[in-house]
Amino acid sequence: MTFLKRLGALASIGLLVVTSRSDLAAQGTELRVIQNSMAGDAVTIIDPATDRVVGEIPGIEISNGIAVAPDGSRIYVTGEVDRALFVADARTFEVISKIPVSGRPSGVAVSKDGRWIYVGIHDQGGTGMDIVDAVSLQVTKNLPLEG
């Protein structure tokens, strides 16, 4: 199966984030597939060139959202059970911070400059977005959203 077919198959079941862009390749960053675990407690890092697992970020139950810092240095993962945003070092896959958020987190995104992390919140009490400062690793604001 070709790489693009594997990529499509993984994307179709919602388990894929690609952590590299062509400009990062020039900086020595390798292409990786990051597979979340909606029914487990670890995030798996795969090398798509070899189809081999090259790492794991353990201890994140029901990881829903995954994003990568623009410079490729960090991996951000939401953990629904802990109601937290986990920050992992992209080289060692060690969790360097666990940031409590205001509800059950879902998706996560990072600003283009890497300064802010946006965590979608979907809870029985409502929905919203927590804004996390990527330097201090603290929630700086919660934006409640209607609907």
Side-chain angles (χ1 to χ4, degrees):
M1 182 181 282
T2 68
F3 171 71
L4 289 178
K5 285 182 182 176
R6 287 192 309 267
L7 193 65
L10 285 172
S12 70
I13 55 175
L15 301 176
L16 171 74
V17 172
V18 177
T19 67
S20 179
R21 300 186 323 234
S22 58
D23 59 335
L24 291 178
Q27 300 173 20
T29 301
E30 299 178 53
L31 183 66
R32 294 291 185 245
V33 175
I34 304 174
Q35 181 176 336
N36 68 353
S37 179
M38 292 298 295
D41 63 355
V43 173
T44 305
I45 316 300
I46 302 165
D47 180 347
T50 63
D51 289 332
R52 299 211 184 272
V53 172
V54 295
E56 183 177 87
I57 305 170
I60 305 175
E61 245 183 297
I62 308 180
S63 58
N64 196 354
I66 300 171
V68 178
D71 66 1
S73 65
R74 292 179 175 174
I75 301 170
Y76 303 105
V77 182
T78 59
E80 286 192 37
V81 172
D82 289 311
R83 293 179 176 241
L85 174 68
F86 292 80
V87 182
D89 181 285
R91 291 190 189 273
T92 65
F93 308 125
E94 290 183 37
V95 173
I96 57 175
S97 186
K98 177 180 165 186
I99 306 162
V101 293
S102 64
R104 195 179 84 211
S106 54
V108 61
V110 182
S111 64
K112 286 183 181 183
D113 64 2
R115 178 77 167 100
W116 304 103
I117 308 156
Y118 306 99
V119 180
I121 304 297
H122 181 74
D123 223 333
Q124 290 178 348
T127 61
M129 180 185 306
D130 282 358
I131 301 174
V132 177
D133 181 322
V135 174
S136 69
L137 299 177
Q138 300 289 319
V139 174
T140 60
K141 190 169 196 169
N142 173 268
L143 301 172
L145 301 172
E146 296 292 325

